[in-house]
Amino acid sequence: MEKRELLDWLHETDERRLEELWRRADEVRRAEVGDEVHLRGLVEISNVCARECLYCGVRAGNAEIDRYRMSADEILACARKAVDFGYGTTVLQSGEDPKLTGPWVADLIHRIKAETGLAVTLSLGERSRKDWEMWKAAGADRYLLRFETSNRELFERIHPAVCGGKPAERIAMLRELRGIGFEVGSGVMIGIPGQSYEDLANDIELFAELDLDMIGVGPYLPHPETPMGRGECPALPTDQQVPNSEQMTYKTVALTRLACPRTNIPSTTALATVNRESGRELGLQRGANIVMPNLTPPEYRCKYEIYPAKACLHETAEHCRGCLERRILSLGRTVGGGRGDSRNWQSRQGDKAASPSLKAEGNTNG
Ligand code: SAH
């Protein structure tokens, strides 16, 4: 899709015309990744964070939240629950917590793989190449790191470097993670003050350029204990500023599916938060094929407040599982079995396996 067409869709607000976009995204989703919805059991393992991201409620400077770090045994218990519930993957997410040391996490991954055989996805922020290599060697399968916005100047403003350090190079990091052998996921927030339509169109083009395996997008939701949530970050004039709306999120999900037909796209909790009734379902009908039910024990879950009034805050893991399964079946879709690796990744593996023989063939042909 040309940039002009992307921008036209991002500006489109007529629900009747948008039906066409929803229909196209849903068709491509069905043709390329099928009707299965894969479930990833999310465990928010620590809300300790060394960073000061202007948008995020668990930023170091927020003195209003209780900090926690789950023990390895507590995390293992959640992973066992994922198995009981039939999920193929567990996702471990946290703030940038220096006490989650490389070896500690590696040991945890070993234990989860040995006991459960689940696919393990990590979302632990910016770490050293050494840690990432150690975690891959320990058996981790995937890494999620959103680049948040492709507008570099905006990113550096909202995601300050850790004191005295260099600005984060998340896009370079995504390439590095791919090189280490991870299935790689990324994504952006929609409607960050200062984010233009042009920026969001660039984000979608960058998703395709990076050939990502997973792409998570959700509306930016203001948290009152953050500088951005207090209104300290200037918005653009209304004709340029992307709104953090539900409709803009569906448009981005749908356009992302068209730009990256074989990637995995979650219908995110942030989307379910802006529309509790049917946000998840509408995401799944407009391009998404993944849901991430929360497995974090309730006493910790309420403390992992990256934005306020998160959907499913007070539910038990059992309740989330039943509720999501019902929602998926009500759409005539099925719950995916197995690991739910990205089709992108699978074809890349196939190419790798095929390349030696192609080379051999090339040689015979002189
Ligand atoms: N520390 C990890 C995990 C962060 S939480 C990391 O930085 O990668 C996962 C995602 O939540 C972030 O990447 C961001 O896109 C999203 N997020 C954070 N604050 C948010 C807010 N106020 N509204 C919406 N999404 C938010």
Side-chain angles (χ1 to χ4, degrees), residues 43-72:
V43 191
E44 295 150 335
I45 66 175
S46 163
N47 71 350
V48 177
C49 192
R51 301 199 76 113
E52 293 289 4
C53 303
L54 272 57
Y55 47 88
C56 184
V58 308
R59 67 200 303 271
N62 181 5
E64 299 300 312
I65 52 169
D66 279 340
R67 302 287 172 169
Y68 71 88
R69 181 179 303 115
M70 289 173 68
S71 71

PDB file of all heavy atoms in Angstrom, residues 43-72:
ATOM      1  N   VAL A  43       2.419 -13.193  32.366  1.00  0.00           N
ATOM      2  CA  VAL A  43       2.793 -13.083  33.782  1.00  0.00           C
ATOM      3  C   VAL A  43       3.641 -11.826  33.953  1.00  0.00           C
ATOM      4  O   VAL A  43       4.721 -11.711  33.365  1.00  0.00           O
ATOM      5  CB  VAL A  43       3.591 -14.320  34.266  1.00  0.00           C
ATOM      6  CG1 VAL A  43       3.710 -14.290  35.788  1.00  0.00           C
ATOM      7  CG2 VAL A  43       2.939 -15.621  33.804  1.00  0.00           C
ATOM      8  N   GLU A  44       3.124 -10.899  34.745  1.00  0.00           N
ATOM      9  CA  GLU A  44       3.816  -9.622  34.968  1.00  0.00           C
ATOM     10  C   GLU A  44       4.732  -9.816  36.177  1.00  0.00           C
ATOM     11  O   GLU A  44       4.305  -9.691  37.316  1.00  0.00           O
ATOM     12  CB  GLU A  44       2.772  -8.530  35.181  1.00  0.00           C
ATOM     13  CG  GLU A  44       1.949  -8.314  33.905  1.00  0.00           C
ATOM     14  CD  GLU A  44       0.517  -7.842  34.134  1.00  0.00           C
ATOM     15  OE1 GLU A  44      -0.047  -8.103  35.232  1.00  0.00           O
ATOM     16  OE2 GLU A  44      -0.045  -7.201  33.234  1.00  0.00           O
ATOM     17  N   ILE A  45       6.000 -10.176  35.900  1.00  0.00           N
ATOM     18  CA  ILE A  45       6.832 -10.756  36.956  1.00  0.00           C
ATOM     19  C   ILE A  45       7.445  -9.726  37.910  1.00  0.00           C
ATOM     20  O   ILE A  45       7.849 -10.087  39.008  1.00  0.00           O
ATOM     21  CB  ILE A  45       7.921 -11.694  36.376  1.00  0.00           C
ATOM     22  CG1 ILE A  45       8.951 -10.939  35.531  1.00  0.00           C
ATOM     23  CG2 ILE A  45       7.283 -12.822  35.562  1.00  0.00           C
ATOM     24  CD1 ILE A  45      10.108 -11.831  35.053  1.00  0.00           C
ATOM     25  N   SER A  46       7.525  -8.468  37.497  1.00  0.00           N
ATOM     26  CA  SER A  46       8.057  -7.435  38.402  1.00  0.00           C
ATOM     27  C   SER A  46       7.612  -6.067  37.897  1.00  0.00           C
ATOM     28  O   SER A  46       7.609  -5.824  36.689  1.00  0.00           O
ATOM     29  CB  SER A  46       9.596  -7.507  38.414  1.00  0.00           C
ATOM     30  OG  SER A  46      10.138  -6.307  38.936  1.00  0.00           O
ATOM     31  N   ASN A  47       7.258  -5.182  38.848  1.00  0.00           N
ATOM     32  CA  ASN A  47       6.939  -3.807  38.426  1.00  0.00           C
ATOM     33  C   ASN A  47       8.036  -2.847  38.855  1.00  0.00           C
ATOM     34  O   ASN A  47       7.840  -1.637  38.858  1.00  0.00           O
ATOM     35  CB  ASN A  47       5.562  -3.367  38.961  1.00  0.00           C
ATOM     36  CG  ASN A  47       5.563  -3.142  40.456  1.00  0.00           C
ATOM     37  OD1 ASN A  47       6.536  -3.486  41.138  1.00  0.00           O
ATOM     38  ND2 ASN A  47       4.498  -2.579  40.988  1.00  0.00           N
ATOM     39  N   VAL A  48       9.197  -3.397  39.218  1.00  0.00           N
ATOM     40  CA  VAL A  48      10.346  -2.547  39.547  1.00  0.00           C
ATOM     41  C   VAL A  48      10.931  -2.049  38.238  1.00  0.00           C
ATOM     42  O   VAL A  48      11.086  -2.827  37.299  1.00  0.00           O
ATOM     43  CB  VAL A  48      11.400  -3.346  40.336  1.00  0.00           C
ATOM     44  CG1 VAL A  48      12.629  -2.482  40.620  1.00  0.00           C
ATOM     45  CG2 VAL A  48      10.796  -3.886  41.629  1.00  0.00           C
ATOM     46  N   CYS A  49      11.214  -0.752  38.150  1.00  0.00           N
ATOM     47  CA  CYS A  49      11.727  -0.218  36.891  1.00  0.00           C
ATOM     48  C   CYS A  49      12.731   0.886  37.141  1.00  0.00           C
ATOM     49  O   CYS A  49      12.519   1.759  37.986  1.00  0.00           O
ATOM     50  CB  CYS A  49      10.594   0.300  36.010  1.00  0.00           C
ATOM     51  SG  CYS A  49      11.178   0.620  34.328  1.00  0.00           S
ATOM     52  N   ALA A  50      13.823   0.825  36.398  1.00  0.00           N
ATOM     53  CA  ALA A  50      14.892   1.815  36.553  1.00  0.00           C
ATOM     54  C   ALA A  50      14.684   3.011  35.635  1.00  0.00           C
ATOM     55  O   ALA A  50      15.431   3.986  35.702  1.00  0.00           O
ATOM     56  CB  ALA A  50      16.235   1.151  36.242  1.00  0.00           C
ATOM     57  N   ARG A  51      13.683   2.961  34.772  1.00  0.00           N
ATOM     58  CA  ARG A  51      13.550   4.010  33.753  1.00  0.00           C
ATOM     59  C   ARG A  51      12.505   5.050  34.122  1.00  0.00           C
ATOM     60  O   ARG A  51      11.736   4.856  35.072  1.00  0.00           O
ATOM     61  CB  ARG A  51      13.202   3.373  32.415  1.00  0.00           C
ATOM     62  CG  ARG A  51      14.243   2.381  31.972  1.00  0.00           C
ATOM     63  CD  ARG A  51      14.134   2.124  30.511  1.00  0.00           C
ATOM     64  NE  ARG A  51      14.685   3.225  29.756  1.00  0.00           N
ATOM     65  CZ  ARG A  51      15.790   3.141  29.006  1.00  0.00           C
ATOM     66  NH1 ARG A  51      16.444   2.021  28.911  1.00  0.00           N
ATOM     67  NH2 ARG A  51      16.218   4.190  28.341  1.00  0.00           N
ATOM     68  N   GLU A  52      12.482   6.110  33.325  1.00  0.00           N
ATOM     69  CA  GLU A  52      11.569   7.221  33.615  1.00  0.00           C
ATOM     70  C   GLU A  52      10.715   7.553  32.401  1.00  0.00           C
ATOM     71  O   GLU A  52      10.522   8.730  32.075  1.00  0.00           O
ATOM     72  CB  GLU A  52      12.379   8.470  34.031  1.00  0.00           C
ATOM     73  CG  GLU A  52      13.109   8.344  35.370  1.00  0.00           C
ATOM     74  CD  GLU A  52      12.188   8.349  36.580  1.00  0.00           C
ATOM     75  OE1 GLU A  52      10.956   8.372  36.425  1.00  0.00           O
ATOM     76  OE2 GLU A  52      12.738   8.323  37.696  1.00  0.00           O
ATOM     77  N   CYS A  53      10.223   6.531  31.707  1.00  0.00           N
ATOM     78  CA  CYS A  53       9.418   6.775  30.507  1.00  0.00           C
ATOM     79  C   CYS A  53       8.239   7.680  30.873  1.00  0.00           C
ATOM     80  O   CYS A  53       7.532   7.427  31.856  1.00  0.00           O
ATOM     81  CB  CYS A  53       8.940   5.458  29.913  1.00  0.00           C
ATOM     82  SG  CYS A  53      10.321   4.374  29.526  1.00  0.00           S
ATOM     83  N   LEU A  54       8.045   8.726  30.106  1.00  0.00           N
ATOM     84  CA  LEU A  54       7.073   9.765  30.471  1.00  0.00           C
ATOM     85  C   LEU A  54       5.629   9.280  30.446  1.00  0.00           C
ATOM     86  O   LEU A  54       4.744   9.917  30.985  1.00  0.00           O
ATOM     87  CB  LEU A  54       7.229  10.971  29.521  1.00  0.00           C
ATOM     88  CG  LEU A  54       8.238  12.035  29.927  1.00  0.00           C
ATOM     89  CD1 LEU A  54       9.630  11.464  30.132  1.00  0.00           C
ATOM     90  CD2 LEU A  54       8.291  13.160  28.902  1.00  0.00           C
ATOM     91  N   TYR A  55       5.397   8.142  29.780  1.00  0.00           N
ATOM     92  CA  TYR A  55       4.032   7.643  29.602  1.00  0.00           C
ATOM     93  C   TYR A  55       3.644   6.550  30.583  1.00  0.00           C
ATOM     94  O   TYR A  55       2.479   6.259  30.776  1.00  0.00           O
ATOM     95  CB  TYR A  55       3.876   7.084  28.169  1.00  0.00           C
ATOM     96  CG  TYR A  55       5.017   6.163  27.729  1.00  0.00           C
ATOM     97  CD1 TYR A  55       4.980   4.810  27.991  1.00  0.00           C
ATOM     98  CD2 TYR A  55       6.136   6.678  27.074  1.00  0.00           C
ATOM     99  CE1 TYR A  55       6.037   3.976  27.609  1.00  0.00           C
ATOM    100  CE2 TYR A  55       7.191   5.862  26.690  1.00  0.00           C
ATOM    101  CZ  TYR A  55       7.141   4.511  26.956  1.00  0.00           C
ATOM    102  OH  TYR A  55       8.181   3.704  26.585  1.00  0.00           O
ATOM    103  N   CYS A  56       4.625   5.908  31.216  1.00  0.00           N
ATOM    104  CA  CYS A  56       4.370   4.627  31.871  1.00  0.00           C
ATOM    105  C   CYS A  56       4.205   4.743  33.380  1.00  0.00           C
ATOM    106  O   CYS A  56       5.041   5.346  34.066  1.00  0.00           O
ATOM    107  CB  CYS A  56       5.508   3.664  31.536  1.00  0.00           C
ATOM    108  SG  CYS A  56       5.218   2.019  32.215  1.00  0.00           S
ATOM    109  N   GLY A  57       3.145   4.139  33.891  1.00  0.00           N
ATOM    110  CA  GLY A  57       2.819   4.213  35.317  1.00  0.00           C
ATOM    111  C   GLY A  57       3.814   3.513  36.229  1.00  0.00           C
ATOM    112  O   GLY A  57       3.873   3.824  37.421  1.00  0.00           O
ATOM    113  N   VAL A  58       4.602   2.580  35.725  1.00  0.00           N
ATOM    114  CA  VAL A  58       5.571   1.922  36.624  1.00  0.00           C
ATOM    115  C   VAL A  58       6.953   2.579  36.570  1.00  0.00           C
ATOM    116  O   VAL A  58       7.912   2.064  37.125  1.00  0.00           O
ATOM    117  CB  VAL A  58       5.674   0.373  36.416  1.00  0.00           C
ATOM    118  CG1 VAL A  58       4.301  -0.281  36.461  1.00  0.00           C
ATOM    119  CG2 VAL A  58       6.395  -0.006  35.135  1.00  0.00           C
ATOM    120  N   ARG A  59       7.040   3.744  35.940  1.00  0.00           N
ATOM    121  CA  ARG A  59       8.317   4.481  35.890  1.00  0.00           C
ATOM    122  C   ARG A  59       8.897   4.648  37.296  1.00  0.00           C
ATOM    123  O   ARG A  59       8.159   4.766  38.281  1.00  0.00           O
ATOM    124  CB  ARG A  59       8.117   5.842  35.210  1.00  0.00           C
ATOM    125  CG  ARG A  59       7.260   6.801  36.009  1.00  0.00           C
ATOM    126  CD  ARG A  59       6.697   7.910  35.145  1.00  0.00           C
ATOM    127  NE  ARG A  59       7.735   8.675  34.457  1.00  0.00           N
ATOM    128  CZ  ARG A  59       8.344   9.748  34.955  1.00  0.00           C
ATOM    129  NH1 ARG A  59       8.008  10.208  36.155  1.00  0.00           N
ATOM    130  NH2 ARG A  59       9.272  10.383  34.268  1.00  0.00           N
ATOM    131  N   ALA A  60      10.235   4.702  37.371  1.00  0.00           N
ATOM    132  CA  ALA A  60      10.925   4.764  38.665  1.00  0.00           C
ATOM    133  C   ALA A  60      10.394   5.902  39.545  1.00  0.00           C
ATOM    134  O   ALA A  60      10.264   5.758  40.758  1.00  0.00           O
ATOM    135  CB  ALA A  60      12.421   4.916  38.438  1.00  0.00           C
ATOM    136  N   GLY A  61      10.079   7.034  38.911  1.00  0.00           N
ATOM    137  CA  GLY A  61       9.684   8.217  39.675  1.00  0.00           C
ATOM    138  C   GLY A  61       8.293   8.149  40.296  1.00  0.00           C
ATOM    139  O   GLY A  61       7.924   9.032  41.065  1.00  0.00           O
ATOM    140  N   ASN A  62       7.518   7.121  39.992  1.00  0.00           N
ATOM    141  CA  ASN A  62       6.182   7.032  40.591  1.00  0.00           C
ATOM    142  C   ASN A  62       6.284   6.403  41.979  1.00  0.00           C
ATOM    143  O   ASN A  62       6.420   5.188  42.116  1.00  0.00           O
ATOM    144  CB  ASN A  62       5.241   6.222  39.686  1.00  0.00           C
ATOM    145  CG  ASN A  62       3.833   6.131  40.263  1.00  0.00           C
ATOM    146  OD1 ASN A  62       3.546   6.762  41.296  1.00  0.00           O
ATOM    147  ND2 ASN A  62       2.972   5.375  39.617  1.00  0.00           N
ATOM    148  N   ALA A  63       6.198   7.268  43.015  1.00  0.00           N
ATOM    149  CA  ALA A  63       6.346   6.795  44.389  1.00  0.00           C
ATOM    150  C   ALA A  63       5.027   6.255  44.932  1.00  0.00           C
ATOM    151  O   ALA A  63       4.953   5.770  46.058  1.00  0.00           O
ATOM    152  CB  ALA A  63       6.852   7.937  45.260  1.00  0.00           C
ATOM    153  N   GLU A  64       3.968   6.364  44.137  1.00  0.00           N
ATOM    154  CA  GLU A  64       2.633   6.006  44.622  1.00  0.00           C
ATOM    155  C   GLU A  64       2.309   4.518  44.503  1.00  0.00           C
ATOM    156  O   GLU A  64       1.260   4.084  44.958  1.00  0.00           O
ATOM    157  CB  GLU A  64       1.559   6.796  43.862  1.00  0.00           C
ATOM    158  CG  GLU A  64       1.661   8.304  44.008  1.00  0.00           C
ATOM    159  CD  GLU A  64       1.529   8.755  45.458  1.00  0.00           C
ATOM    160  OE1 GLU A  64       0.594   8.280  46.121  1.00  0.00           O
ATOM    161  OE2 GLU A  64       2.373   9.542  45.914  1.00  0.00           O
ATOM    162  N   ILE A  65       3.169   3.744  43.825  1.00  0.00           N
ATOM    163  CA  ILE A  65       2.822   2.314  43.725  1.00  0.00           C
ATOM    164  C   ILE A  65       3.745   1.451  44.582  1.00  0.00           C
ATOM    165  O   ILE A  65       4.906   1.784  44.805  1.00  0.00           O
ATOM    166  CB  ILE A  65       2.832   1.767  42.263  1.00  0.00           C
ATOM    167  CG1 ILE A  65       4.132   2.087  41.531  1.00  0.00           C
ATOM    168  CG2 ILE A  65       1.629   2.233  41.487  1.00  0.00           C
ATOM    169  CD1 ILE A  65       4.269   1.340  40.193  1.00  0.00           C
ATOM    170  N   ASP A  66       3.182   0.359  45.070  1.00  0.00           N
ATOM    171  CA  ASP A  66       3.963  -0.648  45.795  1.00  0.00           C
ATOM    172  C   ASP A  66       4.727  -1.470  44.781  1.00  0.00           C
ATOM    173  O   ASP A  66       4.146  -1.924  43.801  1.00  0.00           O
ATOM    174  CB  ASP A  66       3.015  -1.638  46.495  1.00  0.00           C
ATOM    175  CG  ASP A  66       2.490  -1.083  47.774  1.00  0.00           C
ATOM    176  OD1 ASP A  66       3.108  -0.149  48.310  1.00  0.00           O
ATOM    177  OD2 ASP A  66       1.451  -1.600  48.230  1.00  0.00           O
ATOM    178  N   ARG A  67       5.983  -1.667  45.042  1.00  0.00           N
ATOM    179  CA  ARG A  67       6.785  -2.448  44.096  1.00  0.00           C
ATOM    180  C   ARG A  67       6.798  -3.915  44.523  1.00  0.00           C
ATOM    181  O   ARG A  67       6.786  -4.235  45.714  1.00  0.00           O
ATOM    182  CB  ARG A  67       8.214  -1.906  44.042  1.00  0.00           C
ATOM    183  CG  ARG A  67       8.302  -0.432  43.650  1.00  0.00           C
ATOM    184  CD  ARG A  67       8.004  -0.205  42.188  1.00  0.00           C
ATOM    185  NE  ARG A  67       7.907   1.236  41.894  1.00  0.00           N
ATOM    186  CZ  ARG A  67       7.858   1.752  40.673  1.00  0.00           C
ATOM    187  NH1 ARG A  67       7.878   0.968  39.615  1.00  0.00           N
ATOM    188  NH2 ARG A  67       7.744   3.042  40.491  1.00  0.00           N
ATOM    189  N   TYR A  68       6.831  -4.806  43.535  1.00  0.00           N
ATOM    190  CA  TYR A  68       6.904  -6.238  43.831  1.00  0.00           C
ATOM    191  C   TYR A  68       7.801  -6.917  42.804  1.00  0.00           C
ATOM    192  O   TYR A  68       8.029  -6.396  41.707  1.00  0.00           O
ATOM    193  CB  TYR A  68       5.518  -6.892  43.789  1.00  0.00           C
ATOM    194  CG  TYR A  68       4.963  -7.007  42.373  1.00  0.00           C
ATOM    195  CD1 TYR A  68       5.243  -8.135  41.575  1.00  0.00           C
ATOM    196  CD2 TYR A  68       4.198  -5.987  41.812  1.00  0.00           C
ATOM    197  CE1 TYR A  68       4.762  -8.238  40.283  1.00  0.00           C
ATOM    198  CE2 TYR A  68       3.718  -6.086  40.510  1.00  0.00           C
ATOM    199  CZ  TYR A  68       4.002  -7.207  39.752  1.00  0.00           C
ATOM    200  OH  TYR A  68       3.545  -7.301  38.465  1.00  0.00           O
ATOM    201  N   ARG A  69       8.312  -8.038  43.179  1.00  0.00           N
ATOM    202  CA  ARG A  69       9.045  -8.904  42.243  1.00  0.00           C
ATOM    203  C   ARG A  69       8.631 -10.324  42.603  1.00  0.00           C
ATOM    204  O   ARG A  69       8.768 -10.724  43.761  1.00  0.00           O
ATOM    205  CB  ARG A  69      10.547  -8.705  42.417  1.00  0.00           C
ATOM    206  CG  ARG A  69      11.414  -9.539  41.493  1.00  0.00           C
ATOM    207  CD  ARG A  69      12.907  -9.275  41.716  1.00  0.00           C
ATOM    208  NE  ARG A  69      13.251  -7.876  41.559  1.00  0.00           N
ATOM    209  CZ  ARG A  69      13.714  -7.082  42.541  1.00  0.00           C
ATOM    210  NH1 ARG A  69      13.892  -7.540  43.750  1.00  0.00           N
ATOM    211  NH2 ARG A  69      13.986  -5.811  42.301  1.00  0.00           N
ATOM    212  N   MET A  70       8.089 -11.064  41.643  1.00  0.00           N
ATOM    213  CA  MET A  70       7.636 -12.421  41.952  1.00  0.00           C
ATOM    214  C   MET A  70       8.834 -13.348  42.137  1.00  0.00           C
ATOM    215  O   MET A  70       9.880 -13.153  41.532  1.00  0.00           O
ATOM    216  CB  MET A  70       6.741 -12.960  40.827  1.00  0.00           C
ATOM    217  CG  MET A  70       5.383 -12.275  40.770  1.00  0.00           C
ATOM    218  SD  MET A  70       4.396 -12.757  39.314  1.00  0.00           S
ATOM    219  CE  MET A  70       4.045 -14.476  39.676  1.00  0.00           C
ATOM    220  N   SER A  71       8.664 -14.381  42.972  1.00  0.00           N
ATOM    221  CA  SER A  71       9.731 -15.375  43.132  1.00  0.00           C
ATOM    222  C   SER A  71       9.670 -16.352  41.967  1.00  0.00           C
ATOM    223  O   SER A  71       8.638 -16.476  41.291  1.00  0.00           O
ATOM    224  CB  SER A  71       9.551 -16.126  44.452  1.00  0.00           C
ATOM    225  OG  SER A  71       8.418 -16.976  44.350  1.00  0.00           O
ATOM    226  N   ALA A  72      10.782 -17.072  41.750  1.00  0.00           N
ATOM    227  CA  ALA A  72      10.812 -18.059  40.665  1.00  0.00           C
ATOM    228  C   ALA A  72       9.704 -19.102  40.870  1.00  0.00           C
ATOM    229  O   ALA A  72       9.046 -19.507  39.902  1.00  0.00           O
ATOM    230  CB  ALA A  72      12.181 -18.717  40.597  1.00  0.00           C
TER     231      ALA A  72
END
